[in-house]
Amino acid sequence: MSKPNHLDPLPASQNLAGFSERDGHWFIEELSLTQLAEQFGTPLYVYSKNALVTAFTAYEQACLNVDGKRRARIFFAVKANSNLAVMNCFKELGAGFDLVSGGELERALLIGADPASLVFAGVGKSAAEIRLALRVGVKCLNVESIAELEQINHIAAELSCRAPISLRVNPDVDAQTHPYISTGLKDNKFGIAYHEILKTYREAALLSHLDVVGIDCHIGSQITSTAPYLDALDKVLDLVTQLKKGGIGLRHLDLGGGLGIDYGNESPPATTEFTNALLDRIAERGFANLEILLEPGRSLVGNAGALLTRVEYIKLGASKNFCIVDAAMNDLLRPALYSAYHAIVALQKNGVEAQIYDVVGPVCESGDWLGKDRSLAIEANDYLAILSTGAYGFTMASNYNTRPRPAEVMVDGNQAYIIRERETITELLSKERLLPQKK
Ligand SMILES: *Cc1c(COP(=O)(O)O)cnc(C)c1O
C-alpha cells in the first residue's frame, strides 16, 4: 500500500497485515473485498488469518528470551473477539485464554482448550460460573472483592477443592485512554484499592479453600504508551515484595491487556518494544522467577478485521451530506459508544467526485454513525470497508431494531471460510412468545 489517496488517516500499512490496496482495489490476503461482499452479502465481518498469526507471533517472540527461555505466556482476552474459529487459531498457536463469563468459558471448553490455560476474570462472577470454573479446573480465578473471595471459598468447600485465586489490584494509574475503557483509576469499579490489597491478601490466606497463587492488574484498553504500564508494574512488584515479607509468596503476575492499536491516528509501541519494556523491568528488579501472564485482546485481533458494508443511499444536504449504509451501530458499536474513529475506504474506483460525508446506518438513533466528515468518492450500491474492526466489533453487536447480526468470514490465503452464519429474522423471532389468549 502506497500513500493513502484520501484525506482521512489510515492505519500505517505495516499495521494492516492482511489488508492491502493494489491498483485501487482492496484485498484481504489474496481475495478482493468487493468479491467477498458480493459473495457473502453485507454487512459482513472479514478477518485475515495471517494477520492473527502475525500479531500472535510478535507477542510470542517477545516473550522468549535470547536463549529461548519463556519469559511470559499469552492469554488471549476472548471478549475482544470470541468467534470459535478465531479462538481456535490462537489455541493452535499455543495461547491460553482470559475469560470474563461462563459463556466464554464454554467457548474455550468447546474448542478443547486445556483448563490449565484459562484464567477467569470479571467483577461479578455468579455462583454458577464459579462452580463451572472450579469443576473444570481453570488455572486461576481473578478476584475483585472480599465478598467474591468469600463466595469462592464457600463454593470450593462445597466441591471439596481449593480454588486457585489471584487478586486484581487497582494500581491507581492514569492510562490516558477513553474514560469508558480506563480501568486502573481509583474511581473505577475494577479491582481492589491499592491501599487495601495487603489486608485483602491476609484475609484470603486465612480462607481454607483458597490457594493464593497470583496477583493481577489491567489498567485499561487502547493504551498507546508504555509509561502507565511501567508505573503500574512497579507498584505491583512493590506489593509482591511486601507480600513475600508477610509470608505470602506468589507464583504468578498477570499484567492484563490493553495495548492499543493504530486506527489511523495513533502510534502505539510495537508489540516487541512494549513486551520487552515490561519483561526487562521485571528481570531488572529481580523477579525473573515469577511466572508472567499477558492478556492482550485488541492488539491481537483489532487490525485483523474489517466490516464490509454497502451504500444504500446518498443524501445531500445544505449543511451535511450523509452516506447511508447497510451496517449500523448494532453491528459496530464503537463509534456510537466511544466516538471511536475507524478508517473507512471505498472499495471501487468509479470516477465519481469525492465529497465529505457522515457515514451513518439505518438505525433510529442520532448516535447511529460509523464515521464523520469522511472524504469518499462513492455512489449508491458501492461497497465500503470499515477498517480495524476485528476487536470489540462483532462481540459488541446486538439485534437492536430487530437487525440480524452479520456473518463472519475468515480468509486464509485465497480461501474464504464462513465462521459464523448471518442470523435470520426467523431465528431472532423464534424465541419470543405471545401471552395466552383470554377466553
Ligand atoms: C478486556 C480485558 C483485557 C483485554 O484488553 P485489550 O484492551 O483488548 O487488550 C485483558 N484483561 C482483562 C481483565 C480485561 O478485562
Side-chain angles (χ1 to χ4, degrees):
M1 197 166 44
S2 53
K3 267 197 116 37
N5 54 1
H6 47 83
L7 307 170
D8 306 312
L10 272 180
S13 57
Q14 70 270 19
N15 294 329
L16 267 188
F19 292 86
S20 56
E21 189 187 11
R22 302 174 217 158
D23 304 327
H25 295 280
W26 278 85
F27 289 83
I28 175 169
E29 302 201 10
E30 302 309 316
L31 298 180
S32 142
L33 287 181
T34 305
Q35 278 171 19
L36 290 173
E38 278 166 358
Q39 183 180 349
F40 296 101
T42 52
L44 179 74
Y45 275 101
V46 293
Y47 309 114
S48 155
K49 174 159 188 222
N50 184 47
L52 301 180
V53 173
T54 304
F56 188 83
T57 310
Y59 268 104
E60 271 295 277
Q61 280 171 354
C63 287
L64 296 177
N65 235 342
V66 268
D67 54 9
K69 189 172 166 269
R70 177 170 291 282
R71 301 192 288 172
R73 198 156 166 222
I74 304 302
F75 289 70
F76 171 56
V78 169
K79 74 178 186 292
N81 187 325
S82 58
N83 185 286
L84 293 172
V86 171
M87 292 177 70
N88 202 45
C89 282
F90 289 132
K91 191 196 85 173
E92 286 177 355
L93 294 167
F97 296 102
D98 165 53
L99 312 167
V100 294
S101 72
E104 290 187 353
L105 174 53
E106 299 274 11
R107 286 179 178 278
L109 296 174
L110 196 67
I111 60 162
D114 177 0
S117 72
L118 306 177
V119 294
F120 191 10
V123 286
K125 299 174 201 74
S126 71
E129 288 174 324
I130 294 168
R131 214 167 276 129
L132 177 64
L134 292 180
R135 274 218 186 95
V136 302
V138 300
K139 177 181 175 65
C140 190
L141 292 140
N142 292 355
V143 179
E144 306 211 10
S145 66
I146 292 187
E148 189 191 345
L149 274 179
E150 286 167 351
Q151 168 88 313
I152 294 172
N153 186 58
H154 179 74
I155 294 170
E158 261 174 31
L159 297 175
S160 310
C161 68
R162 274 165 74 96
I165 63 108
S166 161
L167 293 184
R168 174 167 175 175
V169 54
N170 183 334
D172 194 22
V173 297
D174 187 353
Q176 289 174 347
T177 184
H178 190 282
Y180 284 11
I181 49 179
S182 177
T183 55
L185 279 165
K186 63 180 183 318
D187 289 343
N188 292 131
K189 75 176 174 184
F190 295 103
I192 296 168
Y194 193 79
H195 65 274
E196 287 174 2
I197 196 87
L198 293 173
K199 184 180 81 161
T200 313
Y201 266 104
R202 284 194 289 272
E203 295 190 27
L206 294 175
L207 295 171
S208 57
H209 287 271
L210 298 185
D211 195 6
V212 179
V213 295
I215 188 164
D216 61 285
C217 69
H218 171 73
I219 57 175
S221 199
Q222 187 51 18
I223 300 169
T224 51
S225 83
T226 310
Y229 279 100
L230 290 173
D231 290 349
L233 174 62
D234 278 330
K235 289 177 115 176
V236 174
L237 290 176
D238 292 346
L239 289 176
V240 175
T241 305
Q242 290 174 55
L243 285 165
K244 192 164 185 196
K245 278 190 194 135
I248 299 175
L250 300 179
R251 296 207 286 275
H252 79 236
L253 163 55
D254 177 346
L255 289 170
L259 177 61
I261 63 169
D262 178 13
Y263 284 103
N265 290 302
E266 302 86 350
S267 31
T271 307
T272 28
E273 185 192 327
F274 164 78
T275 315
N276 279 333
L278 296 180
L279 298 178
D280 289 350
R281 175 72 62 98
I282 290 168
E284 274 158 34
R285 290 196 51 185
F287 290 91
N289 287 335
L290 271 183
E291 182 191 352
I292 307 299
L293 283 57
L294 300 174
E295 301 173 339
R298 187 190 313 269
S299 51
L300 284 174
V301 291
N303 281 328
L307 174 60
L308 309 187
T309 184
R310 192 173 47 82
V311 178
E312 296 278 14
Y313 301 105
I314 300 283
K315 185 173 167 185
L316 302 176
S319 64
K320 276 256 174 211
N321 298 324
F322 292 99
C323 161
I324 303 168
V325 297
D326 66 359
M329 65 185 287
N330 74 294
D331 305 304
L332 176 67
L333 185 60
R334 297 188 72 257
L337 187 61
Y338 311 124
S339 299
Y341 173 88
H342 286 274
I344 300 179
V345 296
L347 295 185
Q348 50 285 301
K349 291 274 174 295
N350 49 20
V352 185
E353 207 186 315
Q355 305 223 46
I356 306 293
Y357 295 98
D358 278 8
V359 179
V360 301
V363 162
C364 307
E365 296 277 346
S366 298
D368 180 28
W369 57 274
L370 300 166
K372 290 204 167 151
D373 297 323
R374 302 305 176 85
S375 170
L376 292 165
I378 44 166
E379 56 192 355
N381 294 315
D382 280 356
Y383 291 112
L384 305 177
I386 306 172
L387 301 180
S388 308
T389 46
Y392 306 104
F394 188 91
T395 52
M396 284 188 163
S398 76
N399 296 119
Y400 188 40
N401 278 210
T402 309
R403 288 170 52 87
R405 287 179 294 174
E408 294 175 285
V409 163
M410 174 113 56
V411 171
D412 183 6
N414 61 7
Q415 296 290 316
Y417 302 95
I418 290 235
I419 58 171
R420 192 176 203 278
E421 287 175 30
R422 185 178 302 284
E423 288 176 342
T424 66
I425 292 180
T426 313
E427 282 164 1
L428 297 191
L429 302 189
S430 68
K431 302 232 180 271
E432 298 182 26
R433 301 286 181 272
L434 298 178
L435 293 181
Q437 285 286 314
K438 287 222 172 81
K439 292 266 160 60

